[in-house]
Amino acid sequence: MKKKQKSNDLNGSGRQGLEGLIRRSAKKHGTPLMLISREVLKKQYQRFRRSLPNVMPFYAIKANPHPEIIKTFIKLGVGFDVASGAEMDLVLNLGASPDKVIFANTIKSNEDIARAHKRKVKLMTFDNEPELYKIAKHCPRAKVLVRIKVDNTGSAVELSLKFGADADQAIFLLKKARSLGLQPVGVAFHVGSQCTNLNNYLRALDVSSLIFSEAEKVGLPLTILDIGGGFPIRHFDNDDHLTFKDMAGAIRKKMRRLFDKNTNFIAEPGRFFVGSSGTLITQVVGRTFRNNKNYYYLNDGVYADFSGIVFDHCRYEFKTLRRGQKFLTTLAGPTCDSFDTISLNEDLPELEVGNVVYVKNIGAYSCASAVPAFNGFPPAKVLMV
Ligand SMILES: *Cc1c(COP(=O)(O)O)cnc(C)c1O
C-alpha cells in the first residue's frame, strides 16, 4: 500500500495542510518561525540523485548551515562543500567523513589550510598561483582542482566576477601544482547561483573537457570534474523557467558525450538542496496607510531572514491566511531603518496586527546571512518538521 502523505512535506501537503501547520506552529512556538522540512530535504536529495545518478553531491553549507540539516544530509550519505575552517569543523564535528568534504573556497587563509591538513580534508579548489604555494606549505600532497571562470549569464547571483582562473591558464596552474608536490586531480566551475540558463553548464562542460584532453596530453591525467552548484528552484508558484530535471538531463547527456566513463563527477548544490525545504512564518506587528497603500510591518525583515533580498538578489512570494479582496501593499521589517523594506508593491488582503504573512521556498540564503539581533530583533527560531 502506498504510504500516506506526511503532513511535514511542506510542498506536497497542499495549501490547506500547509496553512494548518502554519497556524499550529505559530501558535505553539511564536513567530518569526522558520519551518524546515526534513522530508523536503530528503526529496531534493533524491531528485538530484535520480536526475544526475553519476554525480556525487557535496552540499554547500553556506546556503543553510543549520546542524539538523547537516545531520540529515550526513545520514543520506551526502558530502559537504565548506568555505572556511569554521564550516569544516562544523560538518566534521557533526560526524561527516573528511573524505566527503571539499574545501571549495579558492582563497583560503594559511590557518584554514593547516586546519584542513590536520583534519584530513584533502580535496580543495584553487584558482591562482600564490594559493598553490600556500597549499603546498600548509597541506602538502593535497588534491587540488583548478577552478575556472565560466559564463554566469542569467544567473541570479554572479560568482565569476571574483573567482575562477582563465581557462587558458588551467594547464599551467595544474603543472605548477604538480611541481609543488600537490596532486592536480581535476577541474571545478560554478555557473552562478539560481542558474536557469542551461547553456552556462553546457559551455562550462565543453571548456572543461578541452582542459581534460590537454592535461592528458601533457601527462597529467585528470579524474575529477566538479560542476559546482547553481541548480535552480522555484521561488514563485508560477515560475516557468526550465526545471532541474530538464537541465540535468541535458547536462548528463553532455557529460556522457565529452568525458571518459571513469571520470568522477561531483557537484556542490546549495540552494537546490535546502531552498524549498524552508517556510518562513511572520506576523504583522503594526499597520498604517501611507502613500495610498497599506503598510504592514512584520516581525522579520531585511536584517534577518529576508537578508536574501539584499545578498541573494532574491524575490519572494508573500502569502497570508486571509482570503478576500486584495489591495496594494508595502511590507516592511521591524527595525528603525527605511532600508528594512521587504517589498514595495504586493497585492495582499486586508491584514490586522497579529495576522500571519508567510513565504515558501526560503530555506536557502535566508537565516544563513541574517544578522544576530540588529535593533534587538533576532532572526526566526528554526523548527525542524
Ligand atoms: C555558493 C556556492 C555553492 C552553492 O551554490 P548554489 O547556487 O546555492 O547551488 C557551491 N559552490 C561554491 C564554490 C559556492 O561558492
Side-chain angles (χ1 to χ4, degrees), residues 246-268:
D246 291 337
M247 293 175 76
I251 291 169
R252 199 168 80 193
K253 216 162 112 194
K254 186 125 186 149
M255 281 173 160
R256 209 182 306 132
R257 197 153 59 74
L258 293 178
F259 292 88
D260 187 276
K261 67 174 186 314
N262 295 322
T263 308
N264 297 308
F265 296 104
I266 66 175
E268 304 163 352

PDB file of all heavy atoms in Angstrom, residues 246-268:
ATOM      1  N   ASP A 246      14.899  18.845 -16.376  1.00  0.00           N
ATOM      2  CA  ASP A 246      15.237  19.049 -17.791  1.00  0.00           C
ATOM      3  C   ASP A 246      16.690  19.462 -17.961  1.00  0.00           C
ATOM      4  O   ASP A 246      17.393  19.000 -18.861  1.00  0.00           O
ATOM      5  CB  ASP A 246      14.324  20.122 -18.405  1.00  0.00           C
ATOM      6  CG  ASP A 246      12.894  19.628 -18.512  1.00  0.00           C
ATOM      7  OD1 ASP A 246      12.697  18.397 -18.534  1.00  0.00           O
ATOM      8  OD2 ASP A 246      11.971  20.469 -18.555  1.00  0.00           O
ATOM      9  N   MET A 247      17.139  20.366 -17.079  1.00  0.00           N
ATOM     10  CA  MET A 247      18.528  20.810 -17.171  1.00  0.00           C
ATOM     11  C   MET A 247      19.467  19.634 -16.925  1.00  0.00           C
ATOM     12  O   MET A 247      20.432  19.422 -17.652  1.00  0.00           O
ATOM     13  CB  MET A 247      18.806  21.918 -16.147  1.00  0.00           C
ATOM     14  CG  MET A 247      18.054  23.207 -16.445  1.00  0.00           C
ATOM     15  SD  MET A 247      18.284  24.462 -15.158  1.00  0.00           S
ATOM     16  CE  MET A 247      19.920  25.049 -15.528  1.00  0.00           C
ATOM     17  N   ALA A 248      19.147  18.868 -15.894  1.00  0.00           N
ATOM     18  CA  ALA A 248      20.016  17.750 -15.518  1.00  0.00           C
ATOM     19  C   ALA A 248      20.108  16.735 -16.649  1.00  0.00           C
ATOM     20  O   ALA A 248      21.186  16.185 -16.912  1.00  0.00           O
ATOM     21  CB  ALA A 248      19.505  17.090 -14.246  1.00  0.00           C
ATOM     22  N   GLY A 249      18.994  16.511 -17.345  1.00  0.00           N
ATOM     23  CA  GLY A 249      19.006  15.562 -18.455  1.00  0.00           C
ATOM     24  C   GLY A 249      20.015  15.980 -19.516  1.00  0.00           C
ATOM     25  O   GLY A 249      20.803  15.162 -20.007  1.00  0.00           O
ATOM     26  N   ALA A 250      19.998  17.267 -19.843  1.00  0.00           N
ATOM     27  CA  ALA A 250      20.912  17.773 -20.870  1.00  0.00           C
ATOM     28  C   ALA A 250      22.366  17.747 -20.382  1.00  0.00           C
ATOM     29  O   ALA A 250      23.289  17.450 -21.148  1.00  0.00           O
ATOM     30  CB  ALA A 250      20.506  19.188 -21.254  1.00  0.00           C
ATOM     31  N   ILE A 251      22.547  18.053 -19.112  1.00  0.00           N
ATOM     32  CA  ILE A 251      23.908  18.036 -18.541  1.00  0.00           C
ATOM     33  C   ILE A 251      24.472  16.618 -18.578  1.00  0.00           C
ATOM     34  O   ILE A 251      25.614  16.379 -18.963  1.00  0.00           O
ATOM     35  CB  ILE A 251      23.880  18.575 -17.086  1.00  0.00           C
ATOM     36  CG1 ILE A 251      23.569  20.079 -17.093  1.00  0.00           C
ATOM     37  CG2 ILE A 251      25.189  18.286 -16.366  1.00  0.00           C
ATOM     38  CD1 ILE A 251      23.249  20.667 -15.716  1.00  0.00           C
ATOM     39  N   ARG A 252      23.619  15.673 -18.210  1.00  0.00           N
ATOM     40  CA  ARG A 252      24.061  14.279 -18.161  1.00  0.00           C
ATOM     41  C   ARG A 252      24.459  13.771 -19.542  1.00  0.00           C
ATOM     42  O   ARG A 252      25.469  13.102 -19.714  1.00  0.00           O
ATOM     43  CB  ARG A 252      22.916  13.433 -17.606  1.00  0.00           C
ATOM     44  CG  ARG A 252      23.366  12.110 -17.092  1.00  0.00           C
ATOM     45  CD  ARG A 252      22.278  11.459 -16.303  1.00  0.00           C
ATOM     46  NE  ARG A 252      21.306  10.826 -17.167  1.00  0.00           N
ATOM     47  CZ  ARG A 252      20.116  10.385 -16.747  1.00  0.00           C
ATOM     48  NH1 ARG A 252      19.756  10.555 -15.488  1.00  0.00           N
ATOM     49  NH2 ARG A 252      19.303   9.799 -17.574  1.00  0.00           N
ATOM     50  N   LYS A 253      23.631  14.151 -20.513  1.00  0.00           N
ATOM     51  CA  LYS A 253      23.898  13.709 -21.878  1.00  0.00           C
ATOM     52  C   LYS A 253      25.248  14.237 -22.357  1.00  0.00           C
ATOM     53  O   LYS A 253      26.049  13.515 -22.937  1.00  0.00           O
ATOM     54  CB  LYS A 253      22.781  14.241 -22.783  1.00  0.00           C
ATOM     55  CG  LYS A 253      22.395  13.296 -23.879  1.00  0.00           C
ATOM     56  CD  LYS A 253      21.042  13.662 -24.452  1.00  0.00           C
ATOM     57  CE  LYS A 253      21.190  14.175 -25.878  1.00  0.00           C
ATOM     58  NZ  LYS A 253      19.956  14.834 -26.347  1.00  0.00           N
ATOM     59  N   LYS A 254      25.473  15.497 -22.055  1.00  0.00           N
ATOM     60  CA  LYS A 254      26.718  16.133 -22.494  1.00  0.00           C
ATOM     61  C   LYS A 254      27.922  15.516 -21.783  1.00  0.00           C
ATOM     62  O   LYS A 254      28.976  15.316 -22.383  1.00  0.00           O
ATOM     63  CB  LYS A 254      26.632  17.629 -22.193  1.00  0.00           C
ATOM     64  CG  LYS A 254      27.782  18.410 -22.725  1.00  0.00           C
ATOM     65  CD  LYS A 254      27.305  19.536 -23.615  1.00  0.00           C
ATOM     66  CE  LYS A 254      28.469  20.224 -24.259  1.00  0.00           C
ATOM     67  NZ  LYS A 254      28.135  20.756 -25.555  1.00  0.00           N
ATOM     68  N   MET A 255      27.763  15.219 -20.514  1.00  0.00           N
ATOM     69  CA  MET A 255      28.859  14.588 -19.770  1.00  0.00           C
ATOM     70  C   MET A 255      29.236  13.259 -20.403  1.00  0.00           C
ATOM     71  O   MET A 255      30.399  12.930 -20.551  1.00  0.00           O
ATOM     72  CB  MET A 255      28.395  14.283 -18.348  1.00  0.00           C
ATOM     73  CG  MET A 255      28.410  15.468 -17.428  1.00  0.00           C
ATOM     74  SD  MET A 255      27.644  14.900 -15.898  1.00  0.00           S
ATOM     75  CE  MET A 255      28.272  16.143 -14.799  1.00  0.00           C
ATOM     76  N   ARG A 256      28.203  12.507 -20.749  1.00  0.00           N
ATOM     77  CA  ARG A 256      28.441  11.183 -21.321  1.00  0.00           C
ATOM     78  C   ARG A 256      29.197  11.300 -22.632  1.00  0.00           C
ATOM     79  O   ARG A 256      30.068  10.496 -22.934  1.00  0.00           O
ATOM     80  CB  ARG A 256      27.092  10.477 -21.533  1.00  0.00           C
ATOM     81  CG  ARG A 256      27.220   8.960 -21.426  1.00  0.00           C
ATOM     82  CD  ARG A 256      25.899   8.235 -21.674  1.00  0.00           C
ATOM     83  NE  ARG A 256      24.811   8.689 -20.836  1.00  0.00           N
ATOM     84  CZ  ARG A 256      23.595   8.990 -21.296  1.00  0.00           C
ATOM     85  NH1 ARG A 256      23.334   8.930 -22.602  1.00  0.00           N
ATOM     86  NH2 ARG A 256      22.643   9.377 -20.477  1.00  0.00           N
ATOM     87  N   ARG A 257      28.859  12.346 -23.392  1.00  0.00           N
ATOM     88  CA  ARG A 257      29.488  12.510 -24.688  1.00  0.00           C
ATOM     89  C   ARG A 257      30.937  12.994 -24.584  1.00  0.00           C
ATOM     90  O   ARG A 257      31.795  12.583 -25.345  1.00  0.00           O
ATOM     91  CB  ARG A 257      28.663  13.516 -25.514  1.00  0.00           C
ATOM     92  CG  ARG A 257      28.932  13.486 -26.978  1.00  0.00           C
ATOM     93  CD  ARG A 257      27.725  13.946 -27.788  1.00  0.00           C
ATOM     94  NE  ARG A 257      27.299  15.310 -27.457  1.00  0.00           N
ATOM     95  CZ  ARG A 257      27.951  16.394 -27.819  1.00  0.00           C
ATOM     96  NH1 ARG A 257      29.059  16.311 -28.518  1.00  0.00           N
ATOM     97  NH2 ARG A 257      27.504  17.590 -27.494  1.00  0.00           N
ATOM     98  N   LEU A 258      31.200  13.867 -23.605  1.00  0.00           N
ATOM     99  CA  LEU A 258      32.508  14.528 -23.577  1.00  0.00           C
ATOM    100  C   LEU A 258      33.559  13.871 -22.689  1.00  0.00           C
ATOM    101  O   LEU A 258      34.748  14.088 -22.876  1.00  0.00           O
ATOM    102  CB  LEU A 258      32.355  15.980 -23.099  1.00  0.00           C
ATOM    103  CG  LEU A 258      31.595  16.952 -23.990  1.00  0.00           C
ATOM    104  CD1 LEU A 258      31.514  18.313 -23.319  1.00  0.00           C
ATOM    105  CD2 LEU A 258      32.270  17.082 -25.340  1.00  0.00           C
ATOM    106  N   PHE A 259      33.112  13.097 -21.702  1.00  0.00           N
ATOM    107  CA  PHE A 259      34.085  12.624 -20.710  1.00  0.00           C
ATOM    108  C   PHE A 259      34.179  11.104 -20.660  1.00  0.00           C
ATOM    109  O   PHE A 259      33.206  10.398 -20.929  1.00  0.00           O
ATOM    110  CB  PHE A 259      33.723  13.152 -19.319  1.00  0.00           C
ATOM    111  CG  PHE A 259      33.886  14.639 -19.195  1.00  0.00           C
ATOM    112  CD1 PHE A 259      32.844  15.486 -19.533  1.00  0.00           C
ATOM    113  CD2 PHE A 259      35.097  15.187 -18.781  1.00  0.00           C
ATOM    114  CE1 PHE A 259      32.987  16.860 -19.440  1.00  0.00           C
ATOM    115  CE2 PHE A 259      35.252  16.558 -18.698  1.00  0.00           C
ATOM    116  CZ  PHE A 259      34.191  17.401 -19.025  1.00  0.00           C
ATOM    117  N   ASP A 260      35.365  10.656 -20.310  1.00  0.00           N
ATOM    118  CA  ASP A 260      35.634   9.242 -20.105  1.00  0.00           C
ATOM    119  C   ASP A 260      34.672   8.704 -19.042  1.00  0.00           C
ATOM    120  O   ASP A 260      34.322   9.408 -18.111  1.00  0.00           O
ATOM    121  CB  ASP A 260      37.077   9.137 -19.591  1.00  0.00           C
ATOM    122  CG  ASP A 260      37.535   7.713 -19.510  1.00  0.00           C
ATOM    123  OD1 ASP A 260      37.237   7.060 -18.484  1.00  0.00           O
ATOM    124  OD2 ASP A 260      38.177   7.264 -20.463  1.00  0.00           O
ATOM    125  N   LYS A 261      34.273   7.458 -19.194  1.00  0.00           N
ATOM    126  CA  LYS A 261      33.259   6.951 -18.244  1.00  0.00           C
ATOM    127  C   LYS A 261      33.814   6.732 -16.843  1.00  0.00           C
ATOM    128  O   LYS A 261      33.063   6.526 -15.892  1.00  0.00           O
ATOM    129  CB  LYS A 261      32.570   5.707 -18.795  1.00  0.00           C
ATOM    130  CG  LYS A 261      33.442   4.483 -18.925  1.00  0.00           C
ATOM    131  CD  LYS A 261      32.571   3.291 -19.345  1.00  0.00           C
ATOM    132  CE  LYS A 261      33.326   1.987 -19.358  1.00  0.00           C
ATOM    133  NZ  LYS A 261      34.638   2.001 -19.989  1.00  0.00           N
ATOM    134  N   ASN A 262      35.138   6.788 -16.707  1.00  0.00           N
ATOM    135  CA  ASN A 262      35.708   6.657 -15.360  1.00  0.00           C
ATOM    136  C   ASN A 262      35.854   7.987 -14.628  1.00  0.00           C
ATOM    137  O   ASN A 262      36.326   8.032 -13.495  1.00  0.00           O
ATOM    138  CB  ASN A 262      37.081   5.981 -15.434  1.00  0.00           C
ATOM    139  CG  ASN A 262      36.938   4.557 -15.929  1.00  0.00           C
ATOM    140  OD1 ASN A 262      35.975   3.865 -15.572  1.00  0.00           O
ATOM    141  ND2 ASN A 262      37.865   4.126 -16.772  1.00  0.00           N
ATOM    142  N   THR A 263      35.469   9.068 -15.280  1.00  0.00           N
ATOM    143  CA  THR A 263      35.571  10.380 -14.633  1.00  0.00           C
ATOM    144  C   THR A 263      34.658  10.410 -13.397  1.00  0.00           C
ATOM    145  O   THR A 263      33.529   9.922 -13.440  1.00  0.00           O
ATOM    146  CB  THR A 263      35.119  11.495 -15.611  1.00  0.00           C
ATOM    147  OG1 THR A 263      35.828  11.344 -16.828  1.00  0.00           O
ATOM    148  CG2 THR A 263      35.366  12.875 -15.019  1.00  0.00           C
ATOM    149  N   ASN A 264      35.175  10.944 -12.316  1.00  0.00           N
ATOM    150  CA  ASN A 264      34.340  11.124 -11.114  1.00  0.00           C
ATOM    151  C   ASN A 264      33.727  12.509 -11.151  1.00  0.00           C
ATOM    152  O   ASN A 264      34.433  13.509 -11.049  1.00  0.00           O
ATOM    153  CB  ASN A 264      35.188  10.999  -9.842  1.00  0.00           C
ATOM    154  CG  ASN A 264      35.779   9.619  -9.704  1.00  0.00           C
ATOM    155  OD1 ASN A 264      35.062   8.626  -9.774  1.00  0.00           O
ATOM    156  ND2 ASN A 264      37.096   9.545  -9.556  1.00  0.00           N
ATOM    157  N   PHE A 265      32.403  12.553 -11.268  1.00  0.00           N
ATOM    158  CA  PHE A 265      31.716  13.835 -11.286  1.00  0.00           C
ATOM    159  C   PHE A 265      31.224  14.169  -9.882  1.00  0.00           C
ATOM    160  O   PHE A 265      30.642  13.313  -9.202  1.00  0.00           O
ATOM    161  CB  PHE A 265      30.513  13.801 -12.223  1.00  0.00           C
ATOM    162  CG  PHE A 265      30.882  13.593 -13.663  1.00  0.00           C
ATOM    163  CD1 PHE A 265      30.691  12.363 -14.264  1.00  0.00           C
ATOM    164  CD2 PHE A 265      31.433  14.632 -14.399  1.00  0.00           C
ATOM    165  CE1 PHE A 265      31.038  12.164 -15.599  1.00  0.00           C
ATOM    166  CE2 PHE A 265      31.782  14.443 -15.730  1.00  0.00           C
ATOM    167  CZ  PHE A 265      31.587  13.197 -16.335  1.00  0.00           C
ATOM    168  N   ILE A 266      31.465  15.390  -9.465  1.00  0.00           N
ATOM    169  CA  ILE A 266      30.896  15.852  -8.204  1.00  0.00           C
ATOM    170  C   ILE A 266      30.205  17.202  -8.447  1.00  0.00           C
ATOM    171  O   ILE A 266      30.418  17.844  -9.473  1.00  0.00           O
ATOM    172  CB  ILE A 266      31.946  15.969  -7.068  1.00  0.00           C
ATOM    173  CG1 ILE A 266      32.967  17.069  -7.358  1.00  0.00           C
ATOM    174  CG2 ILE A 266      32.668  14.644  -6.859  1.00  0.00           C
ATOM    175  CD1 ILE A 266      33.951  17.285  -6.202  1.00  0.00           C
ATOM    176  N   ALA A 267      29.341  17.593  -7.509  1.00  0.00           N
ATOM    177  CA  ALA A 267      28.654  18.880  -7.620  1.00  0.00           C
ATOM    178  C   ALA A 267      28.529  19.472  -6.222  1.00  0.00           C
ATOM    179  O   ALA A 267      28.722  18.776  -5.219  1.00  0.00           O
ATOM    180  CB  ALA A 267      27.280  18.698  -8.252  1.00  0.00           C
ATOM    181  N   GLU A 268      28.219  20.758  -6.178  1.00  0.00           N
ATOM    182  CA  GLU A 268      28.113  21.466  -4.889  1.00  0.00           C
ATOM    183  C   GLU A 268      26.778  22.191  -4.778  1.00  0.00           C
ATOM    184  O   GLU A 268      26.743  23.417  -4.647  1.00  0.00           O
ATOM    185  CB  GLU A 268      29.266  22.477  -4.774  1.00  0.00           C
ATOM    186  CG  GLU A 268      30.648  21.882  -4.926  1.00  0.00           C
ATOM    187  CD  GLU A 268      31.721  22.943  -5.219  1.00  0.00           C
ATOM    188  OE1 GLU A 268      31.373  24.118  -5.454  1.00  0.00           O
ATOM    189  OE2 GLU A 268      32.905  22.581  -5.221  1.00  0.00           O
TER     190      GLU A 268
END
